[in-house]
Amino acid sequence: MEKYQKILVVIDPTTDDQKALKRAVELAQKTGAVITAFLSIYDFSYEMTTMLSSDEREAMRQSLINDRIQWLNDIIATIEHKDITIDSKVIWHNRPFEPVIEQVLKHGYDIVIKGTHQHDKLKSVIFTPTDWHILRKCPCPVLLVKEHSWPINGNIVAALNVGSDEEEHQSLNTKITEEAINLSKLILANVHLVNSFPGTPVNIAIEIPEFNASEYTESMFNHHKTAMAEHAQQYSIGTEHTHVEEGLPEDVLEKVSNELDAELVILGTVGRTGLSAALIGNTAEHVIDRLNCDVLALKPDGYVSPMES
């Protein structure tokens, strides 16, 4: 898939095991992409050095940067990346997500790949504020890497919203499905389309005695099933690879991806920012921290990052 020609990998400064970089190499071996291993660093002890001269402060800062450049280059040297170019870049910045998005806007990267943090005691993935900022504000696709491998003949899950007539959702469905098909050819995987629909609103069932909940649920199911069949048919995807279930998106996606032992889930994020993001949260975010496989998050066409000036 020629579209992934420039990959930006966000390096984790807390570990020598860079799973995002390994995944990027895996992808680049199939696309011939050039990889940039990118690290943003900041040492708060630098704030305490105001009594030093500006030259001394700059020397201290440069020394820290040089140290991390050497560390990063040593890590790159340990990863098998024959015939693949891996550049390294270390930037001094106290808000790690900002320089990542700035790099994408300035240099036109096709995808950002970032590892997730495993919480040792809880055995679950912890998403940092940096993860959420990048997911919400990065204009290009973001691949969050977990521990799951990418076996040949594995399964890719495309998370759709086929029941909506909104143009944004429909175009995003198209984008997600096409991305899943392209990636499936690249990594030799099977594509599954998944759609959830909400259950019967409890307040309606209580307030309107003659309301038939089972009829309503069946009607909703048939509506989504038909919409899914029409969508899948456009891409010659068989019914055995389509899944329509009642429930919240995070519950349905977790269930189906676990049943399929999916290696990758592809979903859309509308990239809400500001107060609505803080209060409502994004469906994509509720889904992502429940999955134990890699997640590729796509933005709708026409999305503009709030960091674009």
mmCIF file of all heavy atoms in Angstrom, residues 157 159-160 194-199 243-260 265 267 282-293:
data_model
loop_
_atom_site.group_PDB
_atom_site.id
_atom_site.type_symbol
_atom_site.label_atom_id
_atom_site.label_comp_id
_atom_site.label_asym_id
_atom_site.label_seq_id
_atom_site.Cartn_x
_atom_site.Cartn_y
_atom_site.Cartn_z
ATOM 1 N N VAL A 157 -10.600 -5.938 12.187
ATOM 2 C CA VAL A 157 -11.986 -5.547 12.454
ATOM 3 C C VAL A 157 -12.170 -4.076 12.072
ATOM 4 O O VAL A 157 -11.444 -3.214 12.553
ATOM 5 C CB VAL A 157 -12.343 -5.765 13.939
ATOM 6 C CG1 VAL A 157 -13.657 -5.084 14.283
ATOM 7 C CG2 VAL A 157 -12.418 -7.259 14.261
ATOM 8 N N ALA A 159 -14.648 -1.059 12.447
ATOM 9 C CA ALA A 159 -15.775 -0.632 13.280
ATOM 10 C C ALA A 159 -16.577 0.435 12.537
ATOM 11 O O ALA A 159 -16.081 1.537 12.290
ATOM 12 C CB ALA A 159 -15.255 -0.081 14.604
ATOM 13 N N LEU A 160 -17.814 0.096 12.194
ATOM 14 C CA LEU A 160 -18.636 0.974 11.362
ATOM 15 C C LEU A 160 -19.850 1.517 12.108
ATOM 16 O O LEU A 160 -20.207 1.041 13.185
ATOM 17 C CB LEU A 160 -19.112 0.207 10.114
ATOM 18 C CG LEU A 160 -18.034 -0.490 9.272
ATOM 19 C CD1 LEU A 160 -18.681 -1.223 8.114
ATOM 20 C CD2 LEU A 160 -16.998 0.511 8.771
ATOM 21 N N VAL A 194 -17.918 -4.686 11.652
ATOM 22 C CA VAL A 194 -18.688 -4.784 12.903
ATOM 23 C C VAL A 194 -19.520 -3.516 13.089
ATOM 24 O O VAL A 194 -19.029 -2.401 12.880
ATOM 25 C CB VAL A 194 -17.749 -4.957 14.117
ATOM 26 C CG1 VAL A 194 -18.547 -5.005 15.411
ATOM 27 C CG2 VAL A 194 -16.936 -6.237 13.978
ATOM 28 N N ASN A 195 -20.778 -3.710 13.483
ATOM 29 C CA ASN A 195 -21.669 -2.583 13.742
ATOM 30 C C ASN A 195 -22.506 -2.880 14.975
ATOM 31 O O ASN A 195 -23.025 -3.983 15.134
ATOM 32 C CB ASN A 195 -22.587 -2.360 12.542
ATOM 33 C CG ASN A 195 -23.413 -1.094 12.680
ATOM 34 O OD1 ASN A 195 -22.965 -0.021 12.312
ATOM 35 N ND2 ASN A 195 -24.605 -1.197 13.231
ATOM 36 N N SER A 196 -22.604 -1.907 15.856
ATOM 37 C CA SER A 196 -23.471 -2.062 17.034
ATOM 38 C C SER A 196 -24.672 -1.145 16.883
ATOM 39 O O SER A 196 -24.618 -0.149 16.164
ATOM 40 C CB SER A 196 -22.710 -1.708 18.312
ATOM 41 O OG SER A 196 -22.371 -0.335 18.304
ATOM 42 N N PHE A 197 -25.773 -1.497 17.558
ATOM 43 C CA PHE A 197 -26.923 -0.589 17.573
ATOM 44 C C PHE A 197 -27.461 -0.540 18.996
ATOM 45 O O PHE A 197 -27.344 -1.511 19.751
ATOM 46 C CB PHE A 197 -28.000 -1.022 16.576
ATOM 47 C CG PHE A 197 -28.645 -2.345 16.875
ATOM 48 C CD1 PHE A 197 -29.811 -2.423 17.641
ATOM 49 C CD2 PHE A 197 -28.092 -3.525 16.394
ATOM 50 C CE1 PHE A 197 -30.412 -3.643 17.906
ATOM 51 C CE2 PHE A 197 -28.679 -4.758 16.668
ATOM 52 C CZ PHE A 197 -29.848 -4.814 17.431
ATOM 53 N N PRO A 198 -28.025 0.606 19.400
ATOM 54 C CA PRO A 198 -28.452 0.764 20.790
ATOM 55 C C PRO A 198 -29.669 -0.088 21.127
ATOM 56 O O PRO A 198 -30.517 -0.353 20.266
ATOM 57 C CB PRO A 198 -28.790 2.263 20.880
ATOM 58 C CG PRO A 198 -29.093 2.667 19.470
ATOM 59 C CD PRO A 198 -28.244 1.800 18.584
ATOM 60 N N GLY A 199 -29.733 -0.509 22.379
ATOM 61 C CA GLY A 199 -30.883 -1.275 22.847
ATOM 62 C C GLY A 199 -32.100 -0.375 23.031
ATOM 63 O O GLY A 199 -32.045 0.835 22.800
ATOM 64 N N HIS A 243 -20.826 -8.463 11.228
ATOM 65 C CA HIS A 243 -21.320 -8.690 12.594
ATOM 66 C C HIS A 243 -22.169 -7.483 13.005
ATOM 67 O O HIS A 243 -21.663 -6.360 13.054
ATOM 68 C CB HIS A 243 -20.150 -8.850 13.571
ATOM 69 C CG HIS A 243 -19.113 -9.832 13.103
ATOM 70 N ND1 HIS A 243 -19.080 -11.142 13.532
ATOM 71 C CD2 HIS A 243 -18.080 -9.698 12.212
ATOM 72 C CE1 HIS A 243 -18.067 -11.770 12.943
ATOM 73 N NE2 HIS A 243 -17.443 -10.909 12.144
ATOM 74 N N VAL A 244 -23.441 -7.722 13.271
ATOM 75 C CA VAL A 244 -24.347 -6.668 13.737
ATOM 76 C C VAL A 244 -24.928 -7.116 15.070
ATOM 77 O O VAL A 244 -25.591 -8.153 15.147
ATOM 78 C CB VAL A 244 -25.486 -6.409 12.727
ATOM 79 C CG1 VAL A 244 -26.472 -5.381 13.284
ATOM 80 C CG2 VAL A 244 -24.924 -5.941 11.390
ATOM 81 N N GLU A 245 -24.650 -6.355 16.133
ATOM 82 C CA GLU A 245 -25.102 -6.774 17.462
ATOM 83 C C GLU A 245 -25.630 -5.590 18.258
ATOM 84 O O GLU A 245 -25.169 -4.458 18.097
ATOM 85 C CB GLU A 245 -23.950 -7.448 18.228
ATOM 86 C CG GLU A 245 -23.467 -8.732 17.566
ATOM 87 C CD GLU A 245 -22.534 -9.535 18.471
ATOM 88 O OE1 GLU A 245 -22.500 -9.278 19.687
ATOM 89 O OE2 GLU A 245 -21.828 -10.422 17.937
ATOM 90 N N GLU A 246 -26.587 -5.880 19.139
ATOM 91 C CA GLU A 246 -27.139 -4.857 20.023
ATOM 92 C C GLU A 246 -26.162 -4.578 21.158
ATOM 93 O O GLU A 246 -25.545 -5.491 21.703
ATOM 94 C CB GLU A 246 -28.468 -5.356 20.607
ATOM 95 C CG GLU A 246 -29.102 -4.388 21.589
ATOM 96 C CD GLU A 246 -30.343 -4.939 22.263
ATOM 97 O OE1 GLU A 246 -30.795 -6.046 21.905
ATOM 98 O OE2 GLU A 246 -30.858 -4.275 23.174
ATOM 99 N N GLY A 247 -26.006 -3.306 21.497
ATOM 100 C CA GLY A 247 -25.150 -2.955 22.627
ATOM 101 C C GLY A 247 -24.348 -1.701 22.369
ATOM 102 O O GLY A 247 -24.407 -1.109 21.288
ATOM 103 N N LEU A 248 -23.597 -1.288 23.372
ATOM 104 C CA LEU A 248 -22.718 -0.130 23.237
ATOM 105 C C LEU A 248 -21.535 -0.481 22.328
ATOM 106 O O LEU A 248 -21.067 -1.627 22.351
ATOM 107 C CB LEU A 248 -22.197 0.309 24.611
ATOM 108 C CG LEU A 248 -23.245 0.834 25.596
ATOM 109 C CD1 LEU A 248 -22.635 0.976 26.986
ATOM 110 C CD2 LEU A 248 -23.809 2.164 25.116
ATOM 111 N N PRO A 249 -21.025 0.482 21.555
ATOM 112 C CA PRO A 249 -19.909 0.183 20.651
ATOM 113 C C PRO A 249 -18.723 -0.467 21.363
ATOM 114 O O PRO A 249 -18.123 -1.424 20.862
ATOM 115 C CB PRO A 249 -19.519 1.556 20.093
ATOM 116 C CG PRO A 249 -20.742 2.384 20.239
ATOM 117 C CD PRO A 249 -21.461 1.882 21.450
ATOM 118 N N GLU A 250 -18.401 0.048 22.571
ATOM 119 C CA GLU A 250 -17.230 -0.499 23.273
ATOM 120 C C GLU A 250 -17.435 -1.958 23.684
ATOM 121 O O GLU A 250 -16.496 -2.765 23.656
ATOM 122 C CB GLU A 250 -16.850 0.356 24.479
ATOM 123 C CG GLU A 250 -17.949 0.633 25.464
ATOM 124 C CD GLU A 250 -18.632 1.969 25.246
ATOM 125 O OE1 GLU A 250 -18.869 2.338 24.072
ATOM 126 O OE2 GLU A 250 -18.937 2.640 26.241
ATOM 127 N N ASP A 251 -18.687 -2.305 24.055
ATOM 128 C CA ASP A 251 -18.970 -3.690 24.454
ATOM 129 C C ASP A 251 -18.940 -4.634 23.256
ATOM 130 O O ASP A 251 -18.347 -5.713 23.297
ATOM 131 C CB ASP A 251 -20.346 -3.781 25.139
ATOM 132 C CG ASP A 251 -20.396 -3.030 26.461
ATOM 133 O OD1 ASP A 251 -19.330 -2.877 27.093
ATOM 134 O OD2 ASP A 251 -21.488 -2.584 26.850
ATOM 135 N N VAL A 252 -19.591 -4.219 22.182
ATOM 136 C CA VAL A 252 -19.689 -5.066 20.988
ATOM 137 C C VAL A 252 -18.320 -5.258 20.345
ATOM 138 O O VAL A 252 -17.935 -6.381 19.986
ATOM 139 C CB VAL A 252 -20.696 -4.470 19.979
ATOM 140 C CG1 VAL A 252 -20.653 -5.236 18.656
ATOM 141 C CG2 VAL A 252 -22.112 -4.497 20.564
ATOM 142 N N LEU A 253 -17.557 -4.166 20.225
ATOM 143 C CA LEU A 253 -16.232 -4.280 19.600
ATOM 144 C C LEU A 253 -15.290 -5.146 20.423
ATOM 145 O O LEU A 253 -14.532 -5.947 19.873
ATOM 146 C CB LEU A 253 -15.619 -2.892 19.417
ATOM 147 C CG LEU A 253 -15.837 -2.230 18.061
ATOM 148 C CD1 LEU A 253 -15.236 -0.843 18.055
ATOM 149 C CD2 LEU A 253 -15.243 -3.060 16.933
ATOM 150 N N GLU A 254 -15.338 -4.978 21.731
ATOM 151 C CA GLU A 254 -14.494 -5.806 22.603
ATOM 152 C C GLU A 254 -14.849 -7.277 22.443
ATOM 153 O O GLU A 254 -13.970 -8.133 22.297
ATOM 154 C CB GLU A 254 -14.663 -5.383 24.063
ATOM 155 C CG GLU A 254 -13.788 -6.198 25.025
ATOM 156 C CD GLU A 254 -14.039 -5.852 26.483
ATOM 157 O OE1 GLU A 254 -15.158 -5.418 26.823
ATOM 158 O OE2 GLU A 254 -13.105 -6.030 27.285
ATOM 159 N N LYS A 255 -16.144 -7.572 22.457
ATOM 160 C CA LYS A 255 -16.621 -8.962 22.345
ATOM 161 C C LYS A 255 -16.205 -9.592 21.013
ATOM 162 O O LYS A 255 -15.620 -10.678 20.971
ATOM 163 C CB LYS A 255 -18.148 -8.987 22.485
ATOM 164 C CG LYS A 255 -18.804 -10.350 22.267
ATOM 165 C CD LYS A 255 -20.306 -10.262 22.530
ATOM 166 C CE LYS A 255 -21.024 -11.557 22.189
ATOM 167 N NZ LYS A 255 -21.174 -11.728 20.720
ATOM 168 N N VAL A 256 -16.493 -8.898 19.909
ATOM 169 C CA VAL A 256 -16.202 -9.456 18.584
ATOM 170 C C VAL A 256 -14.698 -9.572 18.355
ATOM 171 O O VAL A 256 -14.220 -10.590 17.843
ATOM 172 C CB VAL A 256 -16.859 -8.611 17.467
ATOM 173 C CG1 VAL A 256 -16.436 -9.110 16.086
ATOM 174 C CG2 VAL A 256 -18.379 -8.656 17.590
ATOM 175 N N SER A 257 -13.938 -8.553 18.751
ATOM 176 C CA SER A 257 -12.483 -8.616 18.517
ATOM 177 C C SER A 257 -11.841 -9.722 19.351
ATOM 178 O O SER A 257 -10.889 -10.372 18.903
ATOM 179 C CB SER A 257 -11.817 -7.263 18.792
ATOM 180 O OG SER A 257 -11.922 -6.913 20.150
ATOM 181 N N ASN A 258 -12.366 -9.961 20.554
ATOM 182 C CA ASN A 258 -11.861 -11.074 21.370
ATOM 183 C C ASN A 258 -12.212 -12.422 20.745
ATOM 184 O O ASN A 258 -11.388 -13.339 20.708
ATOM 185 C CB ASN A 258 -12.423 -11.004 22.795
ATOM 186 C CG ASN A 258 -11.731 -9.943 23.636
ATOM 187 O OD1 ASN A 258 -10.639 -9.496 23.310
ATOM 188 N ND2 ASN A 258 -12.367 -9.519 24.714
ATOM 189 N N GLU A 259 -13.454 -12.541 20.275
ATOM 190 C CA GLU A 259 -13.883 -13.804 19.648
ATOM 191 C C GLU A 259 -13.042 -14.123 18.415
ATOM 192 O O GLU A 259 -12.717 -15.284 18.152
ATOM 193 C CB GLU A 259 -15.369 -13.723 19.249
ATOM 194 C CG GLU A 259 -16.333 -13.799 20.436
ATOM 195 C CD GLU A 259 -17.766 -13.487 20.042
ATOM 196 O OE1 GLU A 259 -18.000 -13.104 18.867
ATOM 197 O OE2 GLU A 259 -18.652 -13.625 20.912
ATOM 198 N N LEU A 260 -12.692 -13.085 17.664
ATOM 199 C CA LEU A 260 -11.906 -13.279 16.436
ATOM 200 C C LEU A 260 -10.401 -13.295 16.701
ATOM 201 O O LEU A 260 -9.624 -13.579 15.792
ATOM 202 C CB LEU A 260 -12.215 -12.147 15.438
ATOM 203 C CG LEU A 260 -13.625 -12.087 14.867
ATOM 204 C CD1 LEU A 260 -13.822 -10.785 14.091
ATOM 205 C CD2 LEU A 260 -13.893 -13.289 13.962
ATOM 206 N N VAL A 265 -7.935 -3.343 15.116
ATOM 207 C CA VAL A 265 -9.267 -2.749 14.983
ATOM 208 C C VAL A 265 -9.089 -1.366 14.361
ATOM 209 O O VAL A 265 -8.263 -0.575 14.814
ATOM 210 C CB VAL A 265 -9.985 -2.637 16.344
ATOM 211 C CG1 VAL A 265 -11.254 -1.782 16.214
ATOM 212 C CG2 VAL A 265 -10.347 -4.017 16.882
ATOM 213 N N LEU A 267 -11.002 2.163 13.438
ATOM 214 C CA LEU A 267 -12.209 2.927 13.768
ATOM 215 C C LEU A 267 -12.021 4.393 13.430
ATOM 216 O O LEU A 267 -10.916 4.857 13.157
ATOM 217 C CB LEU A 267 -12.584 2.743 15.246
ATOM 218 C CG LEU A 267 -11.490 2.804 16.312
ATOM 219 C CD1 LEU A 267 -11.043 4.224 16.511
ATOM 220 C CD2 LEU A 267 -12.001 2.228 17.619
ATOM 221 N N ASN A 282 -15.040 10.620 23.776
ATOM 222 C CA ASN A 282 -15.221 10.183 22.407
ATOM 223 C C ASN A 282 -15.479 8.689 22.432
ATOM 224 O O ASN A 282 -14.791 7.948 23.116
ATOM 225 C CB ASN A 282 -13.923 10.492 21.639
ATOM 226 C CG ASN A 282 -14.119 10.416 20.150
ATOM 227 O OD1 ASN A 282 -14.750 9.490 19.661
ATOM 228 N ND2 ASN A 282 -13.594 11.390 19.444
ATOM 229 N N THR A 283 -16.482 8.240 21.660
ATOM 230 C CA THR A 283 -16.768 6.798 21.607
ATOM 231 C C THR A 283 -15.496 6.015 21.316
ATOM 232 O O THR A 283 -15.236 4.976 21.915
ATOM 233 C CB THR A 283 -17.816 6.498 20.507
ATOM 234 O OG1 THR A 283 -19.000 7.217 20.817
ATOM 235 C CG2 THR A 283 -18.139 5.025 20.462
ATOM 236 N N ALA A 284 -14.692 6.559 20.403
ATOM 237 C CA ALA A 284 -13.447 5.869 20.045
ATOM 238 C C ALA A 284 -12.575 5.638 21.273
ATOM 239 O O ALA A 284 -11.962 4.585 21.431
ATOM 240 C CB ALA A 284 -12.682 6.685 19.013
ATOM 241 N N GLU A 285 -12.547 6.607 22.172
ATOM 242 C CA GLU A 285 -11.696 6.481 23.351
ATOM 243 C C GLU A 285 -12.219 5.420 24.317
ATOM 244 O O GLU A 285 -11.451 4.682 24.919
ATOM 245 C CB GLU A 285 -11.562 7.842 24.027
ATOM 246 C CG GLU A 285 -10.806 8.825 23.148
ATOM 247 C CD GLU A 285 -10.815 10.243 23.678
ATOM 248 O OE1 GLU A 285 -11.230 10.444 24.831
ATOM 249 O OE2 GLU A 285 -10.398 11.142 22.937
ATOM 250 N N HIS A 286 -13.543 5.349 24.461
ATOM 251 C CA HIS A 286 -14.117 4.315 25.319
ATOM 252 C C HIS A 286 -13.795 2.929 24.762
ATOM 253 O O HIS A 286 -13.576 1.973 25.500
ATOM 254 C CB HIS A 286 -15.635 4.480 25.423
ATOM 255 C CG HIS A 286 -16.053 5.688 26.190
ATOM 256 N ND1 HIS A 286 -15.719 5.889 27.510
ATOM 257 C CD2 HIS A 286 -16.774 6.775 25.817
ATOM 258 C CE1 HIS A 286 -16.220 7.042 27.914
ATOM 259 N NE2 HIS A 286 -16.853 7.600 26.907
ATOM 260 N N VAL A 287 -13.786 2.846 23.437
ATOM 261 C CA VAL A 287 -13.521 1.566 22.775
ATOM 262 C C VAL A 287 -12.060 1.167 22.926
ATOM 263 O O VAL A 287 -11.735 0.030 23.279
ATOM 264 C CB VAL A 287 -13.881 1.661 21.264
ATOM 265 C CG1 VAL A 287 -13.368 0.450 20.514
ATOM 266 C CG2 VAL A 287 -15.387 1.799 21.082
ATOM 267 N N ILE A 288 -11.171 2.129 22.660
ATOM 268 C CA ILE A 288 -9.750 1.822 22.539
ATOM 269 C C ILE A 288 -9.163 1.181 23.789
ATOM 270 O O ILE A 288 -8.410 0.217 23.712
ATOM 271 C CB ILE A 288 -8.967 3.094 22.147
ATOM 272 C CG1 ILE A 288 -9.262 3.433 20.686
ATOM 273 C CG2 ILE A 288 -7.477 2.920 22.360
ATOM 274 C CD1 ILE A 288 -8.842 4.819 20.268
ATOM 275 N N ASP A 289 -9.509 1.718 24.961
ATOM 276 C CA ASP A 289 -8.856 1.171 26.161
ATOM 277 C C ASP A 289 -9.456 -0.169 26.597
ATOM 278 O O ASP A 289 -9.008 -0.749 27.574
ATOM 279 C CB ASP A 289 -8.821 2.194 27.311
ATOM 280 C CG ASP A 289 -10.183 2.716 27.689
ATOM 281 O OD1 ASP A 289 -11.180 2.104 27.272
ATOM 282 O OD2 ASP A 289 -10.242 3.738 28.397
ATOM 283 N N ARG A 290 -10.455 -0.670 25.859
ATOM 284 C CA ARG A 290 -11.016 -1.979 26.161
ATOM 285 C C ARG A 290 -10.442 -3.084 25.266
ATOM 286 O O ARG A 290 -10.711 -4.260 25.495
ATOM 287 C CB ARG A 290 -12.544 -1.925 25.952
ATOM 288 C CG ARG A 290 -13.279 -0.953 26.874
ATOM 289 C CD ARG A 290 -13.721 -1.613 28.151
ATOM 290 N NE ARG A 290 -14.735 -2.614 27.890
ATOM 291 C CZ ARG A 290 -16.054 -2.372 27.828
ATOM 292 N NH1 ARG A 290 -16.499 -1.137 27.997
ATOM 293 N NH2 ARG A 290 -16.900 -3.346 27.627
ATOM 294 N N LEU A 291 -9.702 -2.713 24.245
ATOM 295 C CA LEU A 291 -9.230 -3.685 23.263
ATOM 296 C C LEU A 291 -7.815 -4.152 23.592
ATOM 297 O O LEU A 291 -7.000 -3.377 24.068
ATOM 298 C CB LEU A 291 -9.253 -3.070 21.859
ATOM 299 C CG LEU A 291 -10.636 -2.620 21.362
ATOM 300 C CD1 LEU A 291 -10.498 -1.821 20.073
ATOM 301 C CD2 LEU A 291 -11.556 -3.824 21.152
ATOM 302 N N ASN A 292 -7.538 -5.424 23.305
ATOM 303 C CA ASN A 292 -6.194 -5.929 23.603
ATOM 304 C C ASN A 292 -5.364 -6.125 22.333
ATOM 305 O O ASN A 292 -4.428 -6.905 22.300
ATOM 306 C CB ASN A 292 -6.262 -7.236 24.404
ATOM 307 C CG ASN A 292 -6.925 -8.358 23.619
ATOM 308 O OD1 ASN A 292 -7.313 -8.155 22.466
ATOM 309 N ND2 ASN A 292 -7.051 -9.516 24.223
ATOM 310 N N CYS A 293 -5.762 -5.419 21.267
ATOM 311 C CA CYS A 293 -5.003 -5.494 20.020
ATOM 312 C C CYS A 293 -4.683 -4.074 19.559
ATOM 313 O O CYS A 293 -5.113 -3.093 20.169
ATOM 314 C CB CYS A 293 -5.814 -6.230 18.947
ATOM 315 S SG CYS A 293 -7.380 -5.425 18.548
#
